[in-house]
Amino acid sequence: MKNRLLVPWFPVWALPVLLILAIGTVWVRLAIVRTTYEISQTDSMIRNLQQDREQEELKVTGLRSPRRLETIARVKFGLTQPKAEQVIPMQAERSLSSAR
């Protein structure tokens, strides 16, 4: 009986349980690292797309610029500012009442 007390008590099922817990912990940590990497990649892609969008908006703003459109109208199409006798004023009240 004395020999039995000296042998450390270690259940047989403890080693497989510890092994399963260790493997589970490593698996969860790898999943966390993988997910963090995917989130980082997605954030980077979003940032790049936002920068691209801002650049495209600047291009559109430049293309819609009244000064640019006026230059194109003058140079490409030969248009000029209308003379005073070419302007025909329209009255808003008349056009609204005639539409009814």
Side-chain angles (χ1 to χ4, degrees):
M1 204 160 225
K2 202 173 194 183
N3 287 339
R4 205 167 200 212
L5 291 175
L6 294 176
V7 175
W9 182 78
F10 191 75
V12 176
W13 56 267
L15 187 59
V17 168
L18 288 175
L19 186 63
I20 289 171
L21 288 175
I23 291 172
T25 302
V26 170
W27 181 77
V28 168
R29 293 295 292 166
L30 286 174
I32 290 171
V33 168
R34 196 176 315 117
T35 304
T36 304
Y37 177 76
E38 289 174 3
I39 289 171
S40 174
Q41 291 296 320
T42 304
D43 283 344
S44 176
M45 188 185 337
I46 288 171
R47 243 181 282 111
N48 289 339
L49 289 173
Q50 286 174 340
Q51 287 176 351
D52 290 347
R53 181 176 180 228
E54 288 173 4
Q55 289 175 355
E56 294 302 319
E57 285 178 356
L58 287 174
K59 285 181 186 177
V60 168
T61 302
L63 292 173
R64 288 184 177 172
S65 165
R67 185 173 298 162
R68 178 185 170 277
L69 294 175
E70 183 179 345
T71 303
I72 290 173
R74 202 172 340 108
V75 173
K76 198 170 187 177
F77 299 108
L79 299 176
T80 60
Q81 290 290 332
K83 298 176 182 161
E85 60 270 4
Q86 292 176 319
V87 176
I88 302 172
M90 297 183 69
Q91 295 178 352
E93 296 171 14
R94 229 185 205 177
S95 61
L96 289 177
S97 62
S98 63
R100 290 183 188 173

PDB file of all heavy atoms in Angstrom, residues 18-30:
ATOM      1  N   LEU A  18      -6.232  16.878 -22.545  1.00  0.00           N
ATOM      2  CA  LEU A  18      -5.274  17.980 -22.680  1.00  0.00           C
ATOM      3  C   LEU A  18      -4.821  18.143 -24.128  1.00  0.00           C
ATOM      4  O   LEU A  18      -4.667  19.268 -24.615  1.00  0.00           O
ATOM      5  CB  LEU A  18      -4.065  17.737 -21.772  1.00  0.00           C
ATOM      6  CG  LEU A  18      -4.308  17.898 -20.273  1.00  0.00           C
ATOM      7  CD1 LEU A  18      -3.061  17.516 -19.492  1.00  0.00           C
ATOM      8  CD2 LEU A  18      -4.725  19.320 -19.958  1.00  0.00           C
ATOM      9  N   LEU A  19      -4.630  17.033 -24.818  1.00  0.00           N
ATOM     10  CA  LEU A  19      -4.237  17.088 -26.219  1.00  0.00           C
ATOM     11  C   LEU A  19      -5.340  17.722 -27.069  1.00  0.00           C
ATOM     12  O   LEU A  19      -5.057  18.576 -27.925  1.00  0.00           O
ATOM     13  CB  LEU A  19      -3.910  15.683 -26.724  1.00  0.00           C
ATOM     14  CG  LEU A  19      -3.357  15.590 -28.135  1.00  0.00           C
ATOM     15  CD1 LEU A  19      -2.031  16.313 -28.229  1.00  0.00           C
ATOM     16  CD2 LEU A  19      -3.214  14.145 -28.547  1.00  0.00           C
ATOM     17  N   ILE A  20      -6.570  17.344 -26.827  1.00  0.00           N
ATOM     18  CA  ILE A  20      -7.703  17.923 -27.564  1.00  0.00           C
ATOM     19  C   ILE A  20      -7.819  19.416 -27.270  1.00  0.00           C
ATOM     20  O   ILE A  20      -8.039  20.228 -28.180  1.00  0.00           O
ATOM     21  CB  ILE A  20      -9.012  17.176 -27.227  1.00  0.00           C
ATOM     22  CG1 ILE A  20      -8.971  15.776 -27.851  1.00  0.00           C
ATOM     23  CG2 ILE A  20     -10.231  17.942 -27.718  1.00  0.00           C
ATOM     24  CD1 ILE A  20     -10.091  14.870 -27.411  1.00  0.00           C
ATOM     25  N   LEU A  21      -7.668  19.807 -26.011  1.00  0.00           N
ATOM     26  CA  LEU A  21      -7.721  21.221 -25.652  1.00  0.00           C
ATOM     27  C   LEU A  21      -6.588  22.009 -26.313  1.00  0.00           C
ATOM     28  O   LEU A  21      -6.799  23.136 -26.792  1.00  0.00           O
ATOM     29  CB  LEU A  21      -7.669  21.396 -24.138  1.00  0.00           C
ATOM     30  CG  LEU A  21      -8.926  20.985 -23.369  1.00  0.00           C
ATOM     31  CD1 LEU A  21      -8.697  21.092 -21.865  1.00  0.00           C
ATOM     32  CD2 LEU A  21     -10.106  21.843 -23.787  1.00  0.00           C
ATOM     33  N   ALA A  22      -5.399  21.455 -26.362  1.00  0.00           N
ATOM     34  CA  ALA A  22      -4.267  22.134 -26.997  1.00  0.00           C
ATOM     35  C   ALA A  22      -4.519  22.309 -28.492  1.00  0.00           C
ATOM     36  O   ALA A  22      -4.307  23.393 -29.045  1.00  0.00           O
ATOM     37  CB  ALA A  22      -2.981  21.352 -26.751  1.00  0.00           C
ATOM     38  N   ILE A  23      -4.989  21.257 -29.153  1.00  0.00           N
ATOM     39  CA  ILE A  23      -5.284  21.339 -30.581  1.00  0.00           C
ATOM     40  C   ILE A  23      -6.404  22.346 -30.829  1.00  0.00           C
ATOM     41  O   ILE A  23      -6.340  23.150 -31.761  1.00  0.00           O
ATOM     42  CB  ILE A  23      -5.633  19.950 -31.148  1.00  0.00           C
ATOM     43  CG1 ILE A  23      -4.384  19.071 -31.154  1.00  0.00           C
ATOM     44  CG2 ILE A  23      -6.222  20.057 -32.555  1.00  0.00           C
ATOM     45  CD1 ILE A  23      -4.654  17.625 -31.501  1.00  0.00           C
ATOM     46  N   GLY A  24      -7.426  22.330 -29.985  1.00  0.00           N
ATOM     47  CA  GLY A  24      -8.531  23.291 -30.118  1.00  0.00           C
ATOM     48  C   GLY A  24      -8.062  24.725 -29.945  1.00  0.00           C
ATOM     49  O   GLY A  24      -8.475  25.622 -30.690  1.00  0.00           O
ATOM     50  N   THR A  25      -7.172  24.947 -28.988  1.00  0.00           N
ATOM     51  CA  THR A  25      -6.652  26.291 -28.751  1.00  0.00           C
ATOM     52  C   THR A  25      -5.858  26.782 -29.958  1.00  0.00           C
ATOM     53  O   THR A  25      -6.019  27.922 -30.398  1.00  0.00           O
ATOM     54  CB  THR A  25      -5.764  26.306 -27.493  1.00  0.00           C
ATOM     55  OG1 THR A  25      -6.533  25.855 -26.377  1.00  0.00           O
ATOM     56  CG2 THR A  25      -5.225  27.684 -27.209  1.00  0.00           C
ATOM     57  N   VAL A  26      -5.011  25.923 -30.497  1.00  0.00           N
ATOM     58  CA  VAL A  26      -4.224  26.301 -31.679  1.00  0.00           C
ATOM     59  C   VAL A  26      -5.151  26.574 -32.856  1.00  0.00           C
ATOM     60  O   VAL A  26      -4.965  27.550 -33.594  1.00  0.00           O
ATOM     61  CB  VAL A  26      -3.196  25.196 -32.017  1.00  0.00           C
ATOM     62  CG1 VAL A  26      -2.551  25.449 -33.371  1.00  0.00           C
ATOM     63  CG2 VAL A  26      -2.141  25.107 -30.930  1.00  0.00           C
ATOM     64  N   TRP A  27      -6.160  25.744 -33.041  1.00  0.00           N
ATOM     65  CA  TRP A  27      -7.103  25.931 -34.144  1.00  0.00           C
ATOM     66  C   TRP A  27      -7.838  27.264 -34.020  1.00  0.00           C
ATOM     67  O   TRP A  27      -7.988  27.991 -35.004  1.00  0.00           O
ATOM     68  CB  TRP A  27      -8.088  24.762 -34.167  1.00  0.00           C
ATOM     69  CG  TRP A  27      -9.078  24.868 -35.286  1.00  0.00           C
ATOM     70  CD1 TRP A  27      -8.877  24.594 -36.601  1.00  0.00           C
ATOM     71  CD2 TRP A  27     -10.430  25.301 -35.168  1.00  0.00           C
ATOM     72  NE1 TRP A  27     -10.023  24.825 -37.315  1.00  0.00           N
ATOM     73  CE2 TRP A  27     -10.996  25.267 -36.454  1.00  0.00           C
ATOM     74  CE3 TRP A  27     -11.228  25.715 -34.092  1.00  0.00           C
ATOM     75  CZ2 TRP A  27     -12.307  25.631 -36.692  1.00  0.00           C
ATOM     76  CZ3 TRP A  27     -12.526  26.069 -34.346  1.00  0.00           C
ATOM     77  CH2 TRP A  27     -13.065  26.027 -35.641  1.00  0.00           C
ATOM     78  N   VAL A  28      -8.288  27.592 -32.803  1.00  0.00           N
ATOM     79  CA  VAL A  28      -8.997  28.855 -32.593  1.00  0.00           C
ATOM     80  C   VAL A  28      -8.069  30.040 -32.849  1.00  0.00           C
ATOM     81  O   VAL A  28      -8.460  31.021 -33.481  1.00  0.00           O
ATOM     82  CB  VAL A  28      -9.595  28.904 -31.162  1.00  0.00           C
ATOM     83  CG1 VAL A  28     -10.074  30.301 -30.826  1.00  0.00           C
ATOM     84  CG2 VAL A  28     -10.743  27.918 -31.034  1.00  0.00           C
ATOM     85  N   ARG A  29      -6.827  29.966 -32.369  1.00  0.00           N
ATOM     86  CA  ARG A  29      -5.869  31.054 -32.587  1.00  0.00           C
ATOM     87  C   ARG A  29      -5.595  31.234 -34.084  1.00  0.00           C
ATOM     88  O   ARG A  29      -5.511  32.361 -34.569  1.00  0.00           O
ATOM     89  CB  ARG A  29      -4.564  30.786 -31.840  1.00  0.00           C
ATOM     90  CG  ARG A  29      -4.690  30.825 -30.338  1.00  0.00           C
ATOM     91  CD  ARG A  29      -5.043  32.184 -29.828  1.00  0.00           C
ATOM     92  NE  ARG A  29      -3.941  33.094 -30.049  1.00  0.00           N
ATOM     93  CZ  ARG A  29      -4.017  34.401 -29.954  1.00  0.00           C
ATOM     94  NH1 ARG A  29      -5.154  34.965 -29.642  1.00  0.00           N
ATOM     95  NH2 ARG A  29      -2.978  35.151 -30.178  1.00  0.00           N
ATOM     96  N   LEU A  30      -5.451  30.138 -34.813  1.00  0.00           N
ATOM     97  CA  LEU A  30      -5.238  30.236 -36.255  1.00  0.00           C
ATOM     98  C   LEU A  30      -6.447  30.851 -36.952  1.00  0.00           C
ATOM     99  O   LEU A  30      -6.304  31.649 -37.889  1.00  0.00           O
ATOM    100  CB  LEU A  30      -4.925  28.867 -36.847  1.00  0.00           C
ATOM    101  CG  LEU A  30      -3.534  28.315 -36.550  1.00  0.00           C
ATOM    102  CD1 LEU A  30      -3.405  26.889 -37.072  1.00  0.00           C
ATOM    103  CD2 LEU A  30      -2.458  29.203 -37.136  1.00  0.00           C
TER     104      LEU A  30
END
